């Protein structure tokens, strides 16, 4: 009963749910067209029908923030669709920490901003596995905030640390490193808790563990001066489990890998989130 009240309290406070996709290194530019040509008409049909018949409030739809992080090569086409359907925003999956210069192969915050991409993922475990350090992640976050851009900071423990119950220790270290000396614009940072063992495995984190860990992350963020910390969950999210994560009352949305590649599955997660918020 106490738990129920607690969750209800959190839900009433919930201003936004982030439904975010990370395509990783998938989809050629041509695939971008077929993805959005399916997603956008169905999204609009759902919103028009449900808001017209009163099933879903327009204010609920406005609380859903839909962001898809695409490969750089897909941004041109993805942006055309995002310009046409303003409910969808395009993000980068990574960024460099300088704005210009001799950095072969890199893309800067300023470059992204110039094409209206105002958000980037930083510190994804797949990039950390390629050698990205806490210090580099910290520099990238600062570079994005300097350009008034938004950050999706990924943190998460590996299977070994999970088994050894080191999760919170690992997350604290990752947060300390990533957020070092960041004094303002904290509201532009969303944290994504992505346990590495749950990514792409179909083995999603249990709702109770996700709830406990995300509560912990939020408490650490509050200690660092965040007034209203936003934390999403990522790791084998799909249309079957998404509502249960939201029902924990502490999760502000999702960072979705595999299920974001399929427009129907992505839309289902969006609809689940709308229904949850609308209750
Ligand atoms: P999956 O949804 O495929 O597990 O990937 C999660 C992820 O890494 C999102 O950034």
């Amino acid at each position: 009963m106490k738990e129920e009240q607690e969750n209800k309290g959190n839900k009433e406070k919930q201003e936004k749910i982030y439904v975010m996709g990370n395509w990783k290194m998938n989809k050629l530019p041509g695939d971008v067209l077929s993805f959005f040509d399916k997603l956008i008409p169905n999204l609009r049909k759902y919103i028009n029908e449900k808001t017209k018949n009163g099933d879903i409030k327009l204010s609920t739809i406005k609380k859903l923030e839909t962001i898809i992080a695409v490969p750089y090569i897909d941004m041109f086409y993805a942006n055309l669709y995002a310009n046409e359907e303003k409910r969808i925003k395009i993000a980068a999956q990574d960024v460099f920490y300088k704005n210009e210069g001799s950095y072969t192969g890199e893309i800067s915050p300023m470059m992204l901003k110039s094409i209206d991409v105002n958000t980037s993922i930083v510190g994804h475990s797949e990039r950390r596995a390629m050698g990205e350090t806490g210090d580099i992640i910290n520099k990238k976050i600062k570079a994005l905030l300097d350009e008034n851009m938004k950050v999706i900071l990924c943190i998460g423990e590996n299977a070994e640390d999970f088994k050894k119950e080191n999760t919170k220790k690992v997350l604290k270290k990752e947060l300390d490193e990533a957020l070092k000396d960041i004094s303002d614009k904290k509201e532009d940072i969303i944290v994504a808790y992505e346990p590495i063992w749950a990514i792409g495995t179909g083995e999603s984190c249990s709702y109770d563990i996700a709830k406990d860990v995300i509560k912990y992350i939020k408490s650490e963020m509050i200690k660092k001066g965040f007034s209203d910390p936003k934390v999403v969950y990522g790791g084998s999210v799909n249309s079957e489990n998404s509502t249960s994560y939201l029902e924990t009352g502490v999760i502000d949305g999702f960072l979705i890998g595999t299920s974001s590649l399929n427009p129907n599955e992505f839309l289902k997660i969006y609809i689940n989130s709308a229904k949850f918020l609308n209750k």
Side-chain angles (χ1 to χ4, degrees):
M1 187 61 196
K2 188 172 167 275
E3 183 92 336
E4 229 170 67
Q5 276 170 352
E6 193 186 310
N7 290 349
K8 194 161 170 269
N10 275 317
K11 200 180 124 193
E12 275 162 11
K13 263 199 341 207
Q14 200 144 18
E15 301 137 31
K16 262 185 187 173
I17 291 181
Y18 296 87
V19 183
M20 305 193 289
N22 174 11
W23 282 357
K24 309 190 179 181
M25 198 176 69
N26 293 293
K27 293 196 191 292
L28 299 174
D31 303 326
V32 177
L33 311 188
S34 51
F35 177 89
F36 284 109
D37 281 340
K38 283 201 190 89
L39 178 68
I40 292 179
N42 289 334
L43 174 76
R44 286 183 172 163
K45 188 164 171 267
Y46 172 79
I47 294 173
N48 287 342
E49 276 178 18
K50 296 295 174 185
T51 52
K52 213 176 262 173
N53 72 13
D55 280 354
I56 299 278
K57 294 187 273 282
L58 201 57
S59 58
T60 298
I61 297 296
K62 286 187 181 150
K63 288 180 187 170
L64 291 166
E65 186 91 30
T66 310
I67 304 174
I68 304 181
V70 306
Y72 296 129
I73 194 116
D74 293 337
M75 277 177 185
F76 176 79
Y77 285 130
N79 255 340
L80 295 180
Y81 285 94
N83 280 336
E84 187 203 312
E85 175 47 72
K86 303 277 185 214
R87 292 185 191 99
I88 295 170
K89 294 194 179 81
I90 302 303
Q93 299 173 9
D94 186 33
V95 68
F96 195 56
Y97 53 79
K98 298 265 188 185
N99 265 337
E100 56 191 338
S102 303
Y103 304 102
T104 304
E106 297 293 348
I107 298 285
S108 74
M110 193 173 77
M111 287 170 167
L112 293 174
K113 214 171 131 178
S114 75
I115 57 162
D116 275 338
V117 171
N118 294 308
T119 304
S120 181
I121 294 176
V122 174
H124 194 283
S125 56
E126 288 153 13
R127 296 216 61 85
R128 292 180 192 254
M130 291 177 214
E132 185 154 288
T133 62
D135 180 49
I136 295 173
I137 291 164
N138 177 249
K139 284 186 179 142
K140 289 181 175 183
I141 295 176
K142 285 176 180 161
L144 286 165
L145 296 179
D146 279 350
E147 288 299 312
N148 298 316
M149 294 173 68
K150 296 200 188 309
V151 177
I152 303 163
L153 165 65
C154 297
I155 57 172
E157 81 287 0
N158 63 26
E160 198 186 331
D161 282 319
F162 175 66
K163 270 189 214 123
K164 288 185 180 158
E165 297 185 7
N166 281 339
T167 298
K168 290 180 182 169
K169 206 171 109 192
V170 170
L171 298 180
K172 180 168 173 13
K173 181 171 179 281
E174 289 187 344
L175 282 173
D176 286 349
E177 288 172 350
L179 301 175
K180 190 166 175 252
D181 299 330
I182 290 173
S183 48
D184 56 359
K185 299 185 183 164
K186 294 191 180 84
E187 64 285 359
D188 291 330
I189 304 172
I190 300 168
V191 170
Y193 170 52
E194 299 206 311
I196 296 171
W197 49 270
I199 295 178
T201 58
E203 191 195 332
S204 54
C205 181
S206 81
Y207 310 121
D208 283 347
I209 292 177
K211 178 176 177 174
D212 177 56
V213 171
I214 287 181
K215 267 189 179 174
Y216 170 76
I217 294 170
K218 287 192 174 179
S219 71
E220 283 301 306
M221 289 168 76
I222 286 169
K223 279 190 210 159
K224 293 183 188 304
F226 284 72
S227 55
D228 184 20
K230 300 289 182 205
V231 183
V232 302
Y233 169 75
S236 300
V237 172
N238 57 42
S239 62
E240 302 287 311
N241 61 23
S242 60
T243 302
S244 300
Y245 282 112
L246 296 175
E247 281 168 352
T248 62
V250 299
I251 295 178
D252 298 298
F254 311 103
L255 185 55
I256 310 154
T258 313
S259 298
S260 75
L261 296 172
N262 176 330
N264 298 330
E265 182 67 3
F266 189 70
L267 180 61
K268 275 189 198 163
I269 299 172
Y270 176 95
I271 291 173
N272 288 346
S273 305
K275 284 183 182 161
F276 171 81
L277 263 186
N278 202 62
K279 267 187 217 155

